[in-house]
Amino acid sequence: MIFVTIGTFNFDPLIEHIDSLVEQNIIQERVICQIGNGSYIPKNCEYFKYTKEIESYILKSDLVISHGGTGSILGLISLNKPFVAVANTSLADNHQAEFLKKLSEERPIQWISDLTKLPLAISNPTKISNHNKESGNSLSKYVRQYLLDTPSK
């Protein structure tokens, strides 16, 4: 099962694209979408707006397609869950793409901002292996520095 999560914001372009890929049989697995505040209702996928049980969907999935929010991505890494991150470029000053780009310099992750690249990204998701302690410390230092250097909005 593929689980798609967009957080609390609207990310209709991602949900529409996923729905289209399912309709075209490019994605053949069962897909469940968390659509947040979006107005697009998927026709070819199961969906819900919000749940307090989001982690149970993540744990049951074979692959997660997630918006590029810091908490979501770091949660997927900590759960060792295969994922593809998609930057929601419609948000303020493109901070998700900036975060994902910087994170990818620290650790190999599969992320995109161009939805046309999603089928290729799905075929090669981020797979977290048990990194050594030094790698984990490096990631923690990076995230801490990123959060300290990011001006509050």
Side-chain angles (χ1 to χ4, degrees):
M1 181 262 286
I2 295 175
F3 179 59
V4 182
T5 180
I6 64 161
T8 57
F9 294 101
N10 177 332
F11 200 176
D12 280 348
L14 175 59
I15 300 301
E16 288 180 50
H17 198 73
I18 294 286
D19 202 34
S20 174
L21 293 174
V22 172
E23 182 178 40
Q24 298 169 52
N25 268 339
I26 293 170
I27 295 177
Q28 297 179 347
E29 295 90 344
R30 175 181 177 213
V31 176
I32 301 175
C33 298
Q34 179 262 322
I35 64 170
N37 283 330
S39 58
Y40 179 79
I41 303 299
K43 297 166 190 65
N44 304 289
C45 309
E46 298 172 47
Y47 70 93
F48 59 86
K49 286 193 172 278
Y50 300 103
T51 182
K52 292 181 180 187
E53 306 299 321
I54 199 99
E55 191 170 310
S56 69
Y57 284 92
I58 291 169
L59 292 172
K60 291 176 189 172
S61 68
D62 300 308
L63 171 68
V64 176
I65 300 171
S66 176
H67 67 111
T70 307
S72 295
I73 299 307
L74 295 178
L76 291 167
I77 289 171
S78 72
L79 291 171
N80 294 329
K81 188 53 81 169
F83 71 91
V84 172
V86 182
N88 186 344
T89 57
S90 68
L91 299 177
D93 58 5
N94 208 14
H95 68 278
Q96 287 188 3
E98 290 176 17
F99 168 70
L100 293 169
K101 181 176 185 279
K102 287 188 179 206
L103 183 60
S104 69
E105 292 168 2
E106 194 63 39
R107 167 176 290 214
I109 63 166
Q110 181 65 271
W111 75 277
I112 60 168
S113 56
D114 177 355
L115 290 173
T116 64
K117 296 181 179 176
L118 189 55
L120 182 61
I122 289 171
S123 70
N124 188 28
T126 301
K127 293 179 182 157
I128 305 300
S129 60
N130 292 327
H131 293 283
N132 62 34
K133 188 174 181 179
E134 188 175 311
S135 176
N137 287 340
S138 177
L139 178 61
S140 296
K141 287 178 191 172
Y142 159 73
V143 171
R144 196 171 313 123
Q145 190 60 46
Y146 175 83
L147 293 173
L148 290 173
D149 289 345
T150 303
S152 60
K153 305 289 177 218

